[in-house]
Amino acid sequence: MTDVKQNLIQVDNLVKYFPVRAGFLQKVVAYVQAVDNVSFAVREGETLGLVGESGCGKTTVGRTILRLIEPTAGAIAFQGQDIMKLKGRELKEMRRNMQIIFQDPYASLDPRMPIGESVMEGLNIHNIGTRRERFEIMIETLRKVGLEDYHARRYPHEFSGGQRQRIGIARALALRPKFIVCDEPVSALDVSIQSQVLNILNDLQNEFGLTYLFIAHNLSVVEHISNRVAVMYLGKMVELADRIELYRNPLHPYTKALMSAIPIPDPGLKRERTILKGDVPSPLNPPKGCRFHPRCPVAMDICSHDEPVFREASPDHFVACWAVP
């Protein structure tokens, strides 16, 4: 994953298992394997799209990088510093540079707090500047996302879904971070509003040099905003490549199936659909070998018992599949 750009985030062998408890004593009887041995890097100034079906572990990856969820195993580095070793004040300082935009613009805002106070909350926690300076930063940040000064006194219920997501973006931007996890930030919005929010994210990235991990299941949205795209399936990374390369030449059968579902905006053209058989297996008991093999149209005997290595099949194009030479 070498590039002229420096890696801002480096994730190595990330694992997150959630215990399942049962019985009167609440003993651990199984584990949900949400993320299993995932490795990738996010380069400085880029947008890395992370896609896959619901439940594949995308959001868990994003929250674990920020240590909102503690990982089971693995290493996470920010600008070369191992954030897994940080505690207390050091971790708090690190979080100034790493923020998140949540998926649900309705649930992510405190309904009892004016949105100006919500945007200033991070500034207050980190004790940045005077009260007046924090207020000015808040007003400036609201303007950056297309809101007006008087909106600062209003409460979340007075805004539309698109406006609330702008508030969520402003809240993440207020601390002037270097890295933002965008956790499906447009999936709850109307299509017309989605483009506005995506354009705001693009403009802010260009202005402040931001780096995004953009989590989504809408491949058209990911194609619009991302520089590189990573594909996950059932807790595993199956493909990672430059956006143009991935959409032009997908290698993994799962990626090909996802691409075949993208509608073409021309009624005279039809895309050949790849219909996957069966349902997504449970992360409580994932298949042995390649986790995709029960649904794979090109599965071989080796796929059912040997797990494929996530390797570089062509320059900067990584894939985990036995069928790819």
Side-chain angles (χ1 to χ4, degrees), residues 185-297:
V186 297
S187 63
L189 306 178
D190 294 336
V191 174
S192 59
I193 307 300
Q194 287 184 11
S195 60
Q196 296 177 19
V197 173
L198 291 174
N199 288 335
I200 288 173
L201 290 173
N202 266 329
D203 292 342
L204 293 174
Q205 184 176 42
N206 294 331
E207 182 173 352
F208 295 103
L210 298 171
T211 303
Y212 294 144
L213 176 65
F214 193 91
I215 299 168
H217 57 256
N218 187 327
L219 289 164
S220 299
V221 169
V222 171
E223 183 180 17
H224 174 73
I225 197 170
S226 301
N227 302 105
R228 292 186 302 146
V229 179
V231 183
M232 283 189 69
Y233 180 80
L234 204 62
K236 291 279 190 181
M237 190 80 76
V238 297
E239 192 162 1
L240 171 63
D242 177 79
R243 173 197 49 152
I244 296 174
E245 167 69 13
L246 188 78
Y247 281 77
R248 181 185 298 163
N249 182 34
L251 298 179
H252 198 280
Y254 177 62
T255 309
K256 292 178 180 178
L258 291 180
M259 297 298 178
S260 74
I262 302 175
I264 300 175
D266 185 341
L269 296 176
K270 289 188 177 181
R271 194 190 300 272
E272 185 179 347
R273 285 295 310 273
T274 301
I275 307 298
L276 298 177
K277 58 186 179 182
D279 297 320
V280 180
S282 170
L284 276 168
N285 186 27
K288 293 182 180 179
C290 175
R291 295 190 173 184
F292 185 60
H293 86 263
R295 307 175 69 197
C296 181

